[in-house]
Amino acid sequence: MPERRTVALVTLGCARNEVDSEELAGRLEADGWELVEDAEEADVAVVNTCGFVEAAKKDSVDALLEANDLKGHGRTQAVVAVGCMAERYGKELAEALPEADGVLGFDDYADISDRLQTILNGGIHASHTPRDRRKLLPISPAQRQESAAEVALPGHAPVDLPEGLAPASGPRSPLRRRLDGSPVASVKLASGCDRRCSFCAIPSFRGSFISRRPSDVLNETRWLAEQGVKEVMLVSENNTSYGKDLGDIRLLESLLPELAEVDGIERVRVSYLQPAEMRPGLIDVLTSTPKVVPYFDLSFQHSAPAVLRSMRRFGDTDRFLELLDTIRGKAPEAGVRSNFIVGFPGETEDDLAELERFLNGARLDAIGVFGYSDEEGTEAATYENKLSEDVVSERLARVSRLAEELVSQRAEERVGQTVRVLVESVDGDEGAYGRAAHQAPETDGQVLFTNGQELSVGLMVEAKVVGTEGVDLVAEVLPGSLASPTCTEEAAR
């Protein structure tokens, strides 16, 4: 009988990392590893790190150190770093953090089982050597698909499934193993990014933009539906570019209705949209397709023209507000969220006031605010007109206070509305909660039920909003909605 080998995956960062962890889990389980939830019960703890900003990198290091502390006190014998931080720094991370028994890059994912076994046996696998992954694919998007098979693309494993419902397991199921029982799952639409924002290092370690085949996205969604998933969220670094390397920049518009028709799927959500790439046809599909929620995760970053140009981005306050007016003209209750950077090099008080003007007019449902900090390898790190840390901190606090006030006001505007809510948690002590169409998992608010005693995880119910708690909504389930297959929001479209 083969020796029992256990592994735990600890995932940090964004939804894209969650997909990558489930692919790693699928590879490991297929090779005989037993997946366990707690690192202390695993022979090997694999930490899927985030390498985006300084705070995320610190969280990743802390998670690696925490896992390392388990060695000698339980089953854990090795700690291995994977993910964006491992890919970005490789040997440098290994030298700075000897507590990690291995630092593996994306190129190691296909052989993850052998890599972990080597490390578990006391062997040494050479730490990953970082490289600019933008150079691994042709410059021309049209030529990339031919080279894709030669490049490690986490979350892009092909899915060869028959038409109809996918099998629950077996050689023809996706190379993915769910790590929780959530009724929500992310599906990777593409990887990489061709944009050259001056503050962002992601393209250097995630590579150039490349789309997954529509058939793979569809078949993986079918498989997820059979696993009990009710909502799929399409993720990538830039979903608005989907299809440009497949010869059809409007491919997302045709794919979304197909995903919405998958048996068992109640909600399709699209994340990571670039304002400069939004097109009328995509807005139409997002606001008029049943089961595709009118949700717009728009990466504005700022609204002052001078700051945006310095960021190598496009737009301004008035154009952004016009885009939001267009969206709400088609779907008045559409959900909109965005992130913003304050204290960018050269940002003036007038620029900050312009950003505040935009925020006051935008009526966003969720707002993330970050203070600028240098990211090595980026163009902005070389800029000379940087603001002091004290000024950045003051502006971060100022805009964060405004953002908190504005999202609370936006939540209050929804009092009295009927919303369709996916139930995600039912607890005897904490009650039941879920998310409405305008709320994405993790990043946005949630709906707290006043009468959720009869609810169960995975149900889609209609509820009336009766109050708010900050960005969260308080709602009561409407009589008869537990058996109702219809959606007030969809019927109103």
Side-chain angles (χ1 to χ4, degrees):
M1 184 175 180
E3 183 180 352
R4 180 173 181 248
R5 301 178 298 175
T6 58
V7 59
L9 286 120
V10 180
T11 307
L12 295 97
C14 64
R16 300 184 294 273
N17 257 16
E18 294 172 6
V19 175
D20 294 349
S21 285
E22 293 196 349
E23 180 188 304
L24 291 174
R27 291 182 182 277
L28 289 166
E29 188 172 64
D31 204 45
W33 290 78
E34 180 182 339
L35 295 158
V36 295
E37 187 173 341
D38 297 325
E40 61 186 7
E41 299 175 2
D43 296 314
V44 184
V46 178
V47 180
N48 192 350
T49 61
C50 179
F52 181 38
V53 294
E54 203 59 41
K57 287 183 279 189
K58 181 182 182 303
D59 288 344
S60 295
V61 170
D62 289 345
L64 288 163
L65 293 175
E66 183 178 342
N68 181 71
D69 289 341
L70 297 173
K71 291 191 293 189
H73 300 285
R75 188 180 179 96
T76 308
Q77 301 175 52
V79 176
V80 175
V82 299
C84 291
M85 189 176 180
E87 174 66 36
R88 184 176 181 184
Y89 295 105
K91 290 182 178 180
E92 182 182 341
L93 176 62
E95 293 170 0
L97 198 69
E99 291 85 352
D101 299 287
V103 177
L104 307 180
F106 298 151
D107 293 335
D108 292 304
Y109 282 20
D111 300 308
I112 187 68
S113 178
D114 290 342
R115 300 287 189 266
L116 296 191
Q117 189 63 59
T118 296
I119 294 169
L120 187 59
N121 290 342
I124 298 176
H125 178 71
S127 296
H128 163 66
T129 301
R131 53 180 171 168
D132 189 339
R133 297 191 73 85
R134 290 172 293 191
K135 299 179 180 179
L136 301 182
L137 291 168
I139 294 176
S140 170
Q143 298 175 351
R144 289 177 189 166
Q145 290 290 328
E146 298 176 4
S147 306
E150 304 169 9
V151 178
L153 297 168
H156 278 240
V159 186
D160 182 21
L161 295 169
E163 287 297 321
L165 201 61
S169 61
R172 301 192 73 185
S173 64
L175 191 60
R176 177 173 181 175
R177 197 269 201 184
R178 298 219 65 206
L179 293 174
D180 61 40
S182 170
V184 185
S186 296
V187 175
K188 191 166 284 191
L189 195 62
S191 286
C193 186
D194 288 341
R195 302 185 71 87
R196 293 295 179 263
C197 301
S198 62
F199 56 83
C200 184
I202 289 177
S204 66
F205 57 85
R206 276 290 184 178
S208 299
F209 184 89
I210 185 162
S211 306
R212 290 184 75 195
R213 294 185 305 168
S215 58
D216 286 342
V217 177
L218 274 165
N219 282 330
E220 187 166 331
T221 299
R222 293 185 182 111
W223 179 81
L224 287 167
E226 193 182 63
Q227 309 306 302
V229 169
K230 300 299 181 183
E231 175 180 329
V232 291
M233 183 168 73
L234 303 181
V235 300
S236 76
E237 280 73 17
N238 178 9
N239 281 333
T240 32
S241 283
Y242 180 69
K244 72 175 186 179
D245 53 320
L246 293 170
D248 185 1
I249 192 60
R250 300 178 186 84
L251 196 55
L252 184 55
E253 286 94 306
S254 58
L255 177 61
L256 285 171
E258 293 185 72
L259 291 170
E261 292 175 0
V262 171
D263 287 342
I265 296 299
E266 295 290 336
R267 180 182 284 171
V268 178
R269 186 182 303 276
V270 183
S271 62
Y272 305 110
L273 300 169
Q274 286 292 339
E277 297 181 34
M278 289 301 295
R279 46 196 181 269
L282 180 55
I283 295 174
D284 287 343
V285 171
L286 288 170
T287 55
S288 65
T289 307
K291 294 188 179 180
V292 175
V293 294
Y295 175 80
F296 294 81
D297 177 9
L298 294 163
S299 177
F300 288 119
Q301 302 299 345
H302 212 284
S303 72
V307 176
L308 287 168
R309 302 305 175 266
S310 187
M311 290 178 169
R312 298 203 178 279
R313 296 178 65 84
F314 307 94
D316 56 47
T317 296
D318 292 333
R319 275 191 277 182
F320 289 163
L321 290 176
E322 288 174 6
L323 172 60
L324 295 177
D325 285 344
T326 298
I327 290 169
R328 290 180 175 132
K330 296 176 180 295
E333 305 309 326
V336 186
R337 82 167 322 275
S338 191
N339 293 323
F340 300 88
I341 298 173
V342 297
F344 195 78
E347 181 190 64
T348 66
E349 279 290 341
D350 286 344
D351 292 330
L352 194 66
E354 185 68 3
L355 173 59
E356 290 172 328
R357 181 170 80 89
F358 171 69
L359 291 174
N360 277 297
R363 296 169 56 232
L364 303 178
D365 293 279
I367 301 172
V369 186
F370 302 89
Y372 173 82
S373 63
D374 284 339
E375 279 296 313
E376 57 189 284
T378 63
E379 181 183 352
T382 68
Y383 290 175
E384 296 180 354
N385 52 346
K386 294 190 176 73
L387 306 182
S388 70
E389 289 186 11
D390 288 344
V391 171
V392 174
S393 296
E394 186 277 327
R395 292 184 179 184
L396 174 61
R398 170 177 155 186
V399 177
S400 295
R401 286 193 298 271
L402 175 63
E404 184 176 351
E405 178 183 344
L406 292 173
V407 296
S408 295
Q409 290 176 4
R410 178 62 176 146
E412 290 170 2
E413 292 177 18
R414 295 187 183 274
V415 173
Q417 294 179 5
T418 297
V419 293
R420 197 179 191 214
V421 185
L422 175 62
V423 181
E424 293 191 316
S425 177
V426 179
D427 185 280
D429 297 323
E430 298 182 4
Y433 67 84
R435 288 177 301 102
H438 69 281
Q439 299 167 319
E442 306 294 336
T443 57
D444 304 340
Q446 59 191 18
V447 176
L448 312 173
F449 293 105
T450 61
N451 57 342
Q453 296 87 349
E454 298 182 13
L455 299 179
S456 59
V457 173
L459 277 178
M460 192 77 77
V461 299
E462 289 185 0
K464 182 178 181 179
V465 181
V466 296
T468 64
E469 292 183 6
V471 70
D472 295 332
L473 304 181
V474 179
E476 57 184 26
V477 180
L478 294 177
S481 71
L482 295 181
S484 173
T486 62
C487 172
T488 298
E489 295 163 356
E490 290 173 4
R493 289 178 177 174

